[in-house]
Amino acid sequence: MSRRKSAPARPAQPRAPRAVFPGAVALRACALIFEGTGSPALYVCTDDHGGVPRLFRVPDAAQVTITTPRPAAPEDRGRVFLPGSTVTFQTPDGRTSTLALHTVRLYREVLEALEGHAQATRAAQEARAAFEGTPGEEGTSGQGAA
């Protein structure tokens, strides 16, 4: 009877974290879109290495960070490009995508979409709270059943 020797266990190599937007390298557009349920959502259009555009929905709990080496002040009308600028999307489960952010126009588009999304989300939460009401409010209007 022969005994088989098992191969020595390989040390576990850390896997690269999964990307929020697989294959995406540059941001092309960003928009706030109200979905069929009326809930606000951020969508991004990205380019891959071949320049092929792809559309992605930004996960609801994603944190968005914009990094620019130069300021993009509203009064700076002459500047068009933001070389070295990036926007990073990170989810609570550790998935991250960092995309190139090439132009001032796109920088402002992202800021406006983020601001609009925050306001729309807050308004939707307030509306839901008003619709659902708080416990014990039923029957406090002074009107009873006929």
Side-chain angles (χ1 to χ4, degrees), residues 79-116:
R79 178 169 292 140
V80 176
F81 297 107
L82 287 173
S85 298
T86 60
V87 60
T88 303
F89 298 87
Q90 184 173 13
T91 62
D93 64 355
R95 297 183 303 148
T96 303
S97 284
T98 300
L99 308 174
L101 184 66
H102 295 300
T103 65
V104 172
R105 176 202 58 82
L106 190 52
Y107 169 81
R108 291 188 184 125
E109 189 175 296
V110 171
L111 289 180
E112 288 174 9
L114 289 172
E115 183 178 320

PDB file of all heavy atoms in Angstrom, residues 79-116:
ATOM      1  N   ARG A  79     -10.308  77.444 -17.004  1.00  0.00           N
ATOM      2  CA  ARG A  79      -9.790  76.084 -16.890  1.00  0.00           C
ATOM      3  C   ARG A  79     -10.831  75.092 -17.401  1.00  0.00           C
ATOM      4  O   ARG A  79     -11.993  75.149 -17.036  1.00  0.00           O
ATOM      5  CB  ARG A  79      -9.458  75.774 -15.439  1.00  0.00           C
ATOM      6  CG  ARG A  79      -8.962  74.339 -15.282  1.00  0.00           C
ATOM      7  CD  ARG A  79      -8.369  74.061 -13.941  1.00  0.00           C
ATOM      8  NE  ARG A  79      -7.139  74.803 -13.831  1.00  0.00           N
ATOM      9  CZ  ARG A  79      -6.757  75.425 -12.732  1.00  0.00           C
ATOM     10  NH1 ARG A  79      -7.488  75.393 -11.665  1.00  0.00           N
ATOM     11  NH2 ARG A  79      -5.619  76.071 -12.704  1.00  0.00           N
ATOM     12  N   VAL A  80     -10.398  74.185 -18.247  1.00  0.00           N
ATOM     13  CA  VAL A  80     -11.292  73.175 -18.806  1.00  0.00           C
ATOM     14  C   VAL A  80     -10.926  71.787 -18.288  1.00  0.00           C
ATOM     15  O   VAL A  80     -11.788  71.004 -17.949  1.00  0.00           O
ATOM     16  CB  VAL A  80     -11.239  73.193 -20.355  1.00  0.00           C
ATOM     17  CG1 VAL A  80     -12.082  72.077 -20.935  1.00  0.00           C
ATOM     18  CG2 VAL A  80     -11.687  74.529 -20.878  1.00  0.00           C
ATOM     19  N   PHE A  81      -9.631  71.489 -18.194  1.00  0.00           N
ATOM     20  CA  PHE A  81      -9.177  70.158 -17.818  1.00  0.00           C
ATOM     21  C   PHE A  81      -8.677  70.125 -16.377  1.00  0.00           C
ATOM     22  O   PHE A  81      -8.175  71.121 -15.865  1.00  0.00           O
ATOM     23  CB  PHE A  81      -8.063  69.680 -18.757  1.00  0.00           C
ATOM     24  CG  PHE A  81      -8.528  69.547 -20.164  1.00  0.00           C
ATOM     25  CD1 PHE A  81      -8.134  70.465 -21.119  1.00  0.00           C
ATOM     26  CD2 PHE A  81      -9.376  68.521 -20.545  1.00  0.00           C
ATOM     27  CE1 PHE A  81      -8.571  70.358 -22.430  1.00  0.00           C
ATOM     28  CE2 PHE A  81      -9.822  68.408 -21.846  1.00  0.00           C
ATOM     29  CZ  PHE A  81      -9.417  69.328 -22.792  1.00  0.00           C
ATOM     30  N   LEU A  82      -8.830  68.994 -15.726  1.00  0.00           N
ATOM     31  CA  LEU A  82      -8.345  68.768 -14.371  1.00  0.00           C
ATOM     32  C   LEU A  82      -7.425  67.546 -14.371  1.00  0.00           C
ATOM     33  O   LEU A  82      -7.807  66.473 -13.894  1.00  0.00           O
ATOM     34  CB  LEU A  82      -9.510  68.517 -13.412  1.00  0.00           C
ATOM     35  CG  LEU A  82     -10.370  69.695 -13.033  1.00  0.00           C
ATOM     36  CD1 LEU A  82     -11.567  69.236 -12.209  1.00  0.00           C
ATOM     37  CD2 LEU A  82      -9.569  70.710 -12.264  1.00  0.00           C
ATOM     38  N   PRO A  83      -6.223  67.668 -14.903  1.00  0.00           N
ATOM     39  CA  PRO A  83      -5.341  66.499 -14.946  1.00  0.00           C
ATOM     40  C   PRO A  83      -5.015  65.994 -13.542  1.00  0.00           C
ATOM     41  O   PRO A  83      -4.831  66.774 -12.619  1.00  0.00           O
ATOM     42  CB  PRO A  83      -4.094  67.020 -15.655  1.00  0.00           C
ATOM     43  CG  PRO A  83      -4.147  68.497 -15.508  1.00  0.00           C
ATOM     44  CD  PRO A  83      -5.578  68.870 -15.388  1.00  0.00           C
ATOM     45  N   GLY A  84      -5.005  64.690 -13.386  1.00  0.00           N
ATOM     46  CA  GLY A  84      -4.691  64.066 -12.105  1.00  0.00           C
ATOM     47  C   GLY A  84      -5.856  64.006 -11.136  1.00  0.00           C
ATOM     48  O   GLY A  84      -5.696  63.547 -10.013  1.00  0.00           O
ATOM     49  N   SER A  85      -7.034  64.421 -11.534  1.00  0.00           N
ATOM     50  CA  SER A  85      -8.201  64.390 -10.651  1.00  0.00           C
ATOM     51  C   SER A  85      -8.888  63.027 -10.733  1.00  0.00           C
ATOM     52  O   SER A  85      -8.919  62.400 -11.784  1.00  0.00           O
ATOM     53  CB  SER A  85      -9.195  65.475 -11.049  1.00  0.00           C
ATOM     54  OG  SER A  85      -8.602  66.742 -10.903  1.00  0.00           O
ATOM     55  N   THR A  86      -9.419  62.609  -9.591  1.00  0.00           N
ATOM     56  CA  THR A  86     -10.100  61.317  -9.526  1.00  0.00           C
ATOM     57  C   THR A  86     -11.366  61.420  -8.673  1.00  0.00           C
ATOM     58  O   THR A  86     -11.513  62.326  -7.858  1.00  0.00           O
ATOM     59  CB  THR A  86      -9.208  60.228  -8.900  1.00  0.00           C
ATOM     60  OG1 THR A  86      -8.852  60.623  -7.577  1.00  0.00           O
ATOM     61  CG2 THR A  86      -7.962  59.978  -9.739  1.00  0.00           C
ATOM     62  N   VAL A  87     -12.246  60.474  -8.882  1.00  0.00           N
ATOM     63  CA  VAL A  87     -13.418  60.297  -8.024  1.00  0.00           C
ATOM     64  C   VAL A  87     -13.412  58.826  -7.597  1.00  0.00           C
ATOM     65  O   VAL A  87     -13.228  57.933  -8.412  1.00  0.00           O
ATOM     66  CB  VAL A  87     -14.732  60.708  -8.732  1.00  0.00           C
ATOM     67  CG1 VAL A  87     -14.984  59.886  -9.969  1.00  0.00           C
ATOM     68  CG2 VAL A  87     -15.911  60.620  -7.794  1.00  0.00           C
ATOM     69  N   THR A  88     -13.538  58.615  -6.282  1.00  0.00           N
ATOM     70  CA  THR A  88     -13.479  57.274  -5.718  1.00  0.00           C
ATOM     71  C   THR A  88     -14.830  56.905  -5.122  1.00  0.00           C
ATOM     72  O   THR A  88     -15.409  57.688  -4.375  1.00  0.00           O
ATOM     73  CB  THR A  88     -12.387  57.187  -4.630  1.00  0.00           C
ATOM     74  OG1 THR A  88     -11.148  57.575  -5.198  1.00  0.00           O
ATOM     75  CG2 THR A  88     -12.284  55.780  -4.063  1.00  0.00           C
ATOM     76  N   PHE A  89     -15.303  55.722  -5.463  1.00  0.00           N
ATOM     77  CA  PHE A  89     -16.549  55.177  -4.935  1.00  0.00           C
ATOM     78  C   PHE A  89     -16.171  53.998  -4.055  1.00  0.00           C
ATOM     79  O   PHE A  89     -15.487  53.086  -4.510  1.00  0.00           O
ATOM     80  CB  PHE A  89     -17.461  54.706  -6.063  1.00  0.00           C
ATOM     81  CG  PHE A  89     -17.882  55.800  -6.993  1.00  0.00           C
ATOM     82  CD1 PHE A  89     -17.101  56.149  -8.080  1.00  0.00           C
ATOM     83  CD2 PHE A  89     -19.061  56.498  -6.783  1.00  0.00           C
ATOM     84  CE1 PHE A  89     -17.492  57.162  -8.944  1.00  0.00           C
ATOM     85  CE2 PHE A  89     -19.458  57.512  -7.633  1.00  0.00           C
ATOM     86  CZ  PHE A  89     -18.670  57.845  -8.717  1.00  0.00           C
ATOM     87  N   GLN A  90     -16.615  54.022  -2.793  1.00  0.00           N
ATOM     88  CA  GLN A  90     -16.295  52.931  -1.877  1.00  0.00           C
ATOM     89  C   GLN A  90     -17.558  52.505  -1.140  1.00  0.00           C
ATOM     90  O   GLN A  90     -18.282  53.336  -0.593  1.00  0.00           O
ATOM     91  CB  GLN A  90     -15.236  53.363  -0.871  1.00  0.00           C
ATOM     92  CG  GLN A  90     -14.808  52.242   0.038  1.00  0.00           C
ATOM     93  CD  GLN A  90     -13.638  52.639   0.918  1.00  0.00           C
ATOM     94  OE1 GLN A  90     -13.295  53.806   1.024  1.00  0.00           O
ATOM     95  NE2 GLN A  90     -13.028  51.663   1.544  1.00  0.00           N
ATOM     96  N   THR A  91     -17.797  51.198  -1.138  1.00  0.00           N
ATOM     97  CA  THR A  91     -18.969  50.654  -0.462  1.00  0.00           C
ATOM     98  C   THR A  91     -18.580  50.184   0.939  1.00  0.00           C
ATOM     99  O   THR A  91     -17.397  49.938   1.202  1.00  0.00           O
ATOM    100  CB  THR A  91     -19.567  49.482  -1.263  1.00  0.00           C
ATOM    101  OG1 THR A  91     -18.590  48.443  -1.345  1.00  0.00           O
ATOM    102  CG2 THR A  91     -19.996  49.911  -2.652  1.00  0.00           C
ATOM    103  N   PRO A  92     -19.552  50.032   1.834  1.00  0.00           N
ATOM    104  CA  PRO A  92     -19.245  49.565   3.186  1.00  0.00           C
ATOM    105  C   PRO A  92     -18.585  48.184   3.231  1.00  0.00           C
ATOM    106  O   PRO A  92     -17.854  47.890   4.162  1.00  0.00           O
ATOM    107  CB  PRO A  92     -20.621  49.516   3.872  1.00  0.00           C
ATOM    108  CG  PRO A  92     -21.448  50.489   3.127  1.00  0.00           C
ATOM    109  CD  PRO A  92     -20.961  50.429   1.707  1.00  0.00           C
ATOM    110  N   ASP A  93     -18.825  47.352   2.214  1.00  0.00           N
ATOM    111  CA  ASP A  93     -18.213  46.016   2.213  1.00  0.00           C
ATOM    112  C   ASP A  93     -16.795  46.010   1.640  1.00  0.00           C
ATOM    113  O   ASP A  93     -16.213  44.960   1.434  1.00  0.00           O
ATOM    114  CB  ASP A  93     -19.100  45.006   1.488  1.00  0.00           C
ATOM    115  CG  ASP A  93     -19.286  45.308   0.011  1.00  0.00           C
ATOM    116  OD1 ASP A  93     -18.810  46.365  -0.453  1.00  0.00           O
ATOM    117  OD2 ASP A  93     -19.924  44.496  -0.679  1.00  0.00           O
ATOM    118  N   GLY A  94     -16.224  47.187   1.369  1.00  0.00           N
ATOM    119  CA  GLY A  94     -14.826  47.285   0.966  1.00  0.00           C
ATOM    120  C   GLY A  94     -14.566  47.350  -0.528  1.00  0.00           C
ATOM    121  O   GLY A  94     -13.420  47.443  -0.958  1.00  0.00           O
ATOM    122  N   ARG A  95     -15.599  47.291  -1.344  1.00  0.00           N
ATOM    123  CA  ARG A  95     -15.387  47.399  -2.787  1.00  0.00           C
ATOM    124  C   ARG A  95     -15.068  48.856  -3.125  1.00  0.00           C
ATOM    125  O   ARG A  95     -15.701  49.767  -2.591  1.00  0.00           O
ATOM    126  CB  ARG A  95     -16.597  46.917  -3.565  1.00  0.00           C
ATOM    127  CG  ARG A  95     -16.894  45.454  -3.354  1.00  0.00           C
ATOM    128  CD  ARG A  95     -18.054  44.965  -4.170  1.00  0.00           C
ATOM    129  NE  ARG A  95     -19.245  45.743  -3.878  1.00  0.00           N
ATOM    130  CZ  ARG A  95     -20.196  45.991  -4.777  1.00  0.00           C
ATOM    131  NH1 ARG A  95     -20.106  45.523  -6.004  1.00  0.00           N
ATOM    132  NH2 ARG A  95     -21.251  46.690  -4.455  1.00  0.00           N
ATOM    133  N   THR A  96     -14.095  49.056  -4.014  1.00  0.00           N
ATOM    134  CA  THR A  96     -13.654  50.406  -4.356  1.00  0.00           C
ATOM    135  C   THR A  96     -13.397  50.512  -5.852  1.00  0.00           C
ATOM    136  O   THR A  96     -12.871  49.589  -6.468  1.00  0.00           O
ATOM    137  CB  THR A  96     -12.352  50.753  -3.610  1.00  0.00           C
ATOM    138  OG1 THR A  96     -12.579  50.620  -2.218  1.00  0.00           O
ATOM    139  CG2 THR A  96     -11.892  52.158  -3.903  1.00  0.00           C
ATOM    140  N   SER A  97     -13.758  51.656  -6.418  1.00  0.00           N
ATOM    141  CA  SER A  97     -13.392  51.993  -7.793  1.00  0.00           C
ATOM    142  C   SER A  97     -12.942  53.436  -7.805  1.00  0.00           C
ATOM    143  O   SER A  97     -13.637  54.314  -7.289  1.00  0.00           O
ATOM    144  CB  SER A  97     -14.573  51.830  -8.758  1.00  0.00           C
ATOM    145  OG  SER A  97     -14.810  50.473  -9.037  1.00  0.00           O
ATOM    146  N   THR A  98     -11.768  53.671  -8.380  1.00  0.00           N
ATOM    147  CA  THR A  98     -11.256  55.029  -8.535  1.00  0.00           C
ATOM    148  C   THR A  98     -11.212  55.323 -10.024  1.00  0.00           C
ATOM    149  O   THR A  98     -10.568  54.605 -10.789  1.00  0.00           O
ATOM    150  CB  THR A  98      -9.857  55.173  -7.915  1.00  0.00           C
ATOM    151  OG1 THR A  98      -9.974  54.868  -6.517  1.00  0.00           O
ATOM    152  CG2 THR A  98      -9.325  56.582  -8.081  1.00  0.00           C
ATOM    153  N   LEU A  99     -11.912  56.378 -10.432  1.00  0.00           N
ATOM    154  CA  LEU A  99     -12.029  56.730 -11.841  1.00  0.00           C
ATOM    155  C   LEU A  99     -11.397  58.085 -12.104  1.00  0.00           C
ATOM    156  O   LEU A  99     -11.468  58.993 -11.267  1.00  0.00           O
ATOM    157  CB  LEU A  99     -13.509  56.782 -12.243  1.00  0.00           C
ATOM    158  CG  LEU A  99     -14.345  55.555 -11.903  1.00  0.00           C
ATOM    159  CD1 LEU A  99     -15.809  55.814 -12.217  1.00  0.00           C
ATOM    160  CD2 LEU A  99     -13.843  54.341 -12.643  1.00  0.00           C
ATOM    161  N   ALA A 100     -10.791  58.231 -13.281  1.00  0.00           N
ATOM    162  CA  ALA A 100     -10.225  59.519 -13.683  1.00  0.00           C
ATOM    163  C   ALA A 100     -11.351  60.517 -13.912  1.00  0.00           C
ATOM    164  O   ALA A 100     -12.412  60.182 -14.439  1.00  0.00           O
ATOM    165  CB  ALA A 100      -9.401  59.352 -14.959  1.00  0.00           C
ATOM    166  N   LEU A 101     -11.123  61.743 -13.492  1.00  0.00           N
ATOM    167  CA  LEU A 101     -12.093  62.823 -13.625  1.00  0.00           C
ATOM    168  C   LEU A 101     -11.397  63.920 -14.422  1.00  0.00           C
ATOM    169  O   LEU A 101     -10.624  64.689 -13.880  1.00  0.00           O
ATOM    170  CB  LEU A 101     -12.486  63.320 -12.225  1.00  0.00           C
ATOM    171  CG  LEU A 101     -13.545  64.370 -12.092  1.00  0.00           C
ATOM    172  CD1 LEU A 101     -14.886  63.820 -12.550  1.00  0.00           C
ATOM    173  CD2 LEU A 101     -13.651  64.815 -10.652  1.00  0.00           C
ATOM    174  N   HIS A 102     -11.657  63.972 -15.725  1.00  0.00           N
ATOM    175  CA  HIS A 102     -10.831  64.777 -16.615  1.00  0.00           C
ATOM    176  C   HIS A 102     -11.187  66.253 -16.730  1.00  0.00           C
ATOM    177  O   HIS A 102     -10.314  67.061 -16.996  1.00  0.00           O
ATOM    178  CB  HIS A 102     -10.842  64.168 -18.023  1.00  0.00           C
ATOM    179  CG  HIS A 102     -10.197  62.820 -18.092  1.00  0.00           C
ATOM    180  ND1 HIS A 102      -8.888  62.595 -17.767  1.00  0.00           N
ATOM    181  CD2 HIS A 102     -10.703  61.609 -18.427  1.00  0.00           C
ATOM    182  CE1 HIS A 102      -8.598  61.322 -17.903  1.00  0.00           C
ATOM    183  NE2 HIS A 102      -9.689  60.692 -18.303  1.00  0.00           N
ATOM    184  N   THR A 103     -12.444  66.624 -16.563  1.00  0.00           N
ATOM    185  CA  THR A 103     -12.817  68.009 -16.874  1.00  0.00           C
ATOM    186  C   THR A 103     -13.526  68.698 -15.719  1.00  0.00           C
ATOM    187  O   THR A 103     -14.126  68.060 -14.855  1.00  0.00           O
ATOM    188  CB  THR A 103     -13.756  68.072 -18.101  1.00  0.00           C
ATOM    189  OG1 THR A 103     -14.971  67.422 -17.780  1.00  0.00           O
ATOM    190  CG2 THR A 103     -13.121  67.440 -19.320  1.00  0.00           C
ATOM    191  N   VAL A 104     -13.459  70.017 -15.719  1.00  0.00           N
ATOM    192  CA  VAL A 104     -14.146  70.826 -14.718  1.00  0.00           C
ATOM    193  C   VAL A 104     -15.657  70.622 -14.848  1.00  0.00           C
ATOM    194  O   VAL A 104     -16.367  70.519 -13.844  1.00  0.00           O
ATOM    195  CB  VAL A 104     -13.766  72.320 -14.869  1.00  0.00           C
ATOM    196  CG1 VAL A 104     -14.628  73.185 -13.972  1.00  0.00           C
ATOM    197  CG2 VAL A 104     -12.296  72.527 -14.562  1.00  0.00           C
ATOM    198  N   ARG A 105     -16.158  70.528 -16.068  1.00  0.00           N
ATOM    199  CA  ARG A 105     -17.593  70.312 -16.289  1.00  0.00           C
ATOM    200  C   ARG A 105     -18.052  69.038 -15.594  1.00  0.00           C
ATOM    201  O   ARG A 105     -19.071  69.008 -14.907  1.00  0.00           O
ATOM    202  CB  ARG A 105     -17.905  70.219 -17.785  1.00  0.00           C
ATOM    203  CG  ARG A 105     -19.381  69.890 -18.074  1.00  0.00           C
ATOM    204  CD  ARG A 105     -19.609  69.280 -19.447  1.00  0.00           C
ATOM    205  NE  ARG A 105     -18.869  68.059 -19.701  1.00  0.00           N
ATOM    206  CZ  ARG A 105     -19.229  66.834 -19.296  1.00  0.00           C
ATOM    207  NH1 ARG A 105     -20.303  66.654 -18.583  1.00  0.00           N
ATOM    208  NH2 ARG A 105     -18.504  65.782 -19.599  1.00  0.00           N
ATOM    209  N   LEU A 106     -17.301  67.971 -15.736  1.00  0.00           N
ATOM    210  CA  LEU A 106     -17.649  66.698 -15.119  1.00  0.00           C
ATOM    211  C   LEU A 106     -17.537  66.781 -13.596  1.00  0.00           C
ATOM    212  O   LEU A 106     -18.366  66.231 -12.869  1.00  0.00           O
ATOM    213  CB  LEU A 106     -16.760  65.585 -15.667  1.00  0.00           C
ATOM    214  CG  LEU A 106     -17.131  64.170 -15.316  1.00  0.00           C
ATOM    215  CD1 LEU A 106     -18.584  63.871 -15.651  1.00  0.00           C
ATOM    216  CD2 LEU A 106     -16.217  63.201 -16.039  1.00  0.00           C
ATOM    217  N   TYR A 107     -16.539  67.495 -13.111  1.00  0.00           N
ATOM    218  CA  TYR A 107     -16.373  67.719 -11.673  1.00  0.00           C
ATOM    219  C   TYR A 107     -17.626  68.382 -11.101  1.00  0.00           C
ATOM    220  O   TYR A 107     -18.187  67.943 -10.103  1.00  0.00           O
ATOM    221  CB  TYR A 107     -15.137  68.592 -11.452  1.00  0.00           C
ATOM    222  CG  TYR A 107     -14.958  69.134 -10.063  1.00  0.00           C
ATOM    223  CD1 TYR A 107     -14.416  68.356  -9.039  1.00  0.00           C
ATOM    224  CD2 TYR A 107     -15.315  70.444  -9.769  1.00  0.00           C
ATOM    225  CE1 TYR A 107     -14.234  68.866  -7.768  1.00  0.00           C
ATOM    226  CE2 TYR A 107     -15.137  70.960  -8.500  1.00  0.00           C
ATOM    227  CZ  TYR A 107     -14.598  70.169  -7.507  1.00  0.00           C
ATOM    228  OH  TYR A 107     -14.423  70.678  -6.259  1.00  0.00           O
ATOM    229  N   ARG A 108     -18.092  69.416 -11.757  1.00  0.00           N
ATOM    230  CA  ARG A 108     -19.293  70.120 -11.301  1.00  0.00           C
ATOM    231  C   ARG A 108     -20.541  69.242 -11.431  1.00  0.00           C
ATOM    232  O   ARG A 108     -21.442  69.293 -10.594  1.00  0.00           O
ATOM    233  CB  ARG A 108     -19.462  71.417 -12.083  1.00  0.00           C
ATOM    234  CG  ARG A 108     -18.391  72.426 -11.720  1.00  0.00           C
ATOM    235  CD  ARG A 108     -18.647  73.778 -12.330  1.00  0.00           C
ATOM    236  NE  ARG A 108     -17.533  74.640 -12.015  1.00  0.00           N
ATOM    237  CZ  ARG A 108     -16.813  75.300 -12.905  1.00  0.00           C
ATOM    238  NH1 ARG A 108     -17.109  75.212 -14.188  1.00  0.00           N
ATOM    239  NH2 ARG A 108     -15.808  76.051 -12.539  1.00  0.00           N
ATOM    240  N   GLU A 109     -20.586  68.434 -12.478  1.00  0.00           N
ATOM    241  CA  GLU A 109     -21.719  67.513 -12.681  1.00  0.00           C
ATOM    242  C   GLU A 109     -21.807  66.515 -11.535  1.00  0.00           C
ATOM    243  O   GLU A 109     -22.896  66.233 -11.028  1.00  0.00           O
ATOM    244  CB  GLU A 109     -21.524  66.784 -14.009  1.00  0.00           C
ATOM    245  CG  GLU A 109     -22.690  65.973 -14.474  1.00  0.00           C
ATOM    246  CD  GLU A 109     -22.435  65.391 -15.854  1.00  0.00           C
ATOM    247  OE1 GLU A 109     -22.301  66.166 -16.828  1.00  0.00           O
ATOM    248  OE2 GLU A 109     -22.367  64.145 -15.948  1.00  0.00           O
ATOM    249  N   VAL A 110     -20.669  65.998 -11.095  1.00  0.00           N
ATOM    250  CA  VAL A 110     -20.648  65.046  -9.983  1.00  0.00           C
ATOM    251  C   VAL A 110     -21.105  65.736  -8.697  1.00  0.00           C
ATOM    252  O   VAL A 110     -21.922  65.201  -7.952  1.00  0.00           O
ATOM    253  CB  VAL A 110     -19.238  64.433  -9.803  1.00  0.00           C
ATOM    254  CG1 VAL A 110     -19.151  63.618  -8.523  1.00  0.00           C
ATOM    255  CG2 VAL A 110     -18.877  63.562 -10.996  1.00  0.00           C
ATOM    256  N   LEU A 111     -20.582  66.938  -8.446  1.00  0.00           N
ATOM    257  CA  LEU A 111     -20.981  67.666  -7.241  1.00  0.00           C
ATOM    258  C   LEU A 111     -22.481  67.949  -7.225  1.00  0.00           C
ATOM    259  O   LEU A 111     -23.146  67.772  -6.199  1.00  0.00           O
ATOM    260  CB  LEU A 111     -20.202  68.977  -7.121  1.00  0.00           C
ATOM    261  CG  LEU A 111     -18.722  68.845  -6.777  1.00  0.00           C
ATOM    262  CD1 LEU A 111     -18.089  70.232  -6.707  1.00  0.00           C
ATOM    263  CD2 LEU A 111     -18.511  68.095  -5.490  1.00  0.00           C
ATOM    264  N   GLU A 112     -23.025  68.391  -8.351  1.00  0.00           N
ATOM    265  CA  GLU A 112     -24.466  68.671  -8.432  1.00  0.00           C
ATOM    266  C   GLU A 112     -25.292  67.399  -8.235  1.00  0.00           C
ATOM    267  O   GLU A 112     -26.325  67.421  -7.557  1.00  0.00           O
ATOM    268  CB  GLU A 112     -24.808  69.318  -9.770  1.00  0.00           C
ATOM    269  CG  GLU A 112     -24.323  70.740  -9.896  1.00  0.00           C
ATOM    270  CD  GLU A 112     -24.552  71.326 -11.278  1.00  0.00           C
ATOM    271  OE1 GLU A 112     -25.250  70.689 -12.098  1.00  0.00           O
ATOM    272  OE2 GLU A 112     -24.018  72.414 -11.539  1.00  0.00           O
ATOM    273  N   ALA A 113     -24.862  66.291  -8.820  1.00  0.00           N
ATOM    274  CA  ALA A 113     -25.590  65.025  -8.671  1.00  0.00           C
ATOM    275  C   ALA A 113     -25.556  64.557  -7.222  1.00  0.00           C
ATOM    276  O   ALA A 113     -26.575  64.096  -6.691  1.00  0.00           O
ATOM    277  CB  ALA A 113     -25.008  63.964  -9.601  1.00  0.00           C
ATOM    278  N   LEU A 114     -24.401  64.701  -6.558  1.00  0.00           N
ATOM    279  CA  LEU A 114     -24.295  64.290  -5.160  1.00  0.00           C
ATOM    280  C   LEU A 114     -25.175  65.151  -4.259  1.00  0.00           C
ATOM    281  O   LEU A 114     -25.860  64.651  -3.370  1.00  0.00           O
ATOM    282  CB  LEU A 114     -22.839  64.361  -4.689  1.00  0.00           C
ATOM    283  CG  LEU A 114     -21.900  63.313  -5.262  1.00  0.00           C
ATOM    284  CD1 LEU A 114     -20.462  63.617  -4.873  1.00  0.00           C
ATOM    285  CD2 LEU A 114     -22.305  61.929  -4.807  1.00  0.00           C
ATOM    286  N   GLU A 115     -25.166  66.450  -4.494  1.00  0.00           N
ATOM    287  CA  GLU A 115     -25.994  67.353  -3.707  1.00  0.00           C
ATOM    288  C   GLU A 115     -27.484  67.067  -3.934  1.00  0.00           C
ATOM    289  O   GLU A 115     -28.271  66.999  -2.996  1.00  0.00           O
ATOM    290  CB  GLU A 115     -25.683  68.802  -4.054  1.00  0.00           C
ATOM    291  CG  GLU A 115     -26.452  69.801  -3.213  1.00  0.00           C
ATOM    292  CD  GLU A 115     -26.076  71.233  -3.539  1.00  0.00           C
ATOM    293  OE1 GLU A 115     -24.892  71.510  -3.759  1.00  0.00           O
ATOM    294  OE2 GLU A 115     -26.995  72.064  -3.582  1.00  0.00           O
ATOM    295  N   GLY A 116     -27.873  66.905  -5.193  1.00  0.00           N
ATOM    296  CA  GLY A 116     -29.257  66.588  -5.519  1.00  0.00           C
ATOM    297  C   GLY A 116     -29.694  65.267  -4.914  1.00  0.00           C
ATOM    298  O   GLY A 116     -30.815  65.137  -4.423  1.00  0.00           O
TER     299      GLY A 116
END
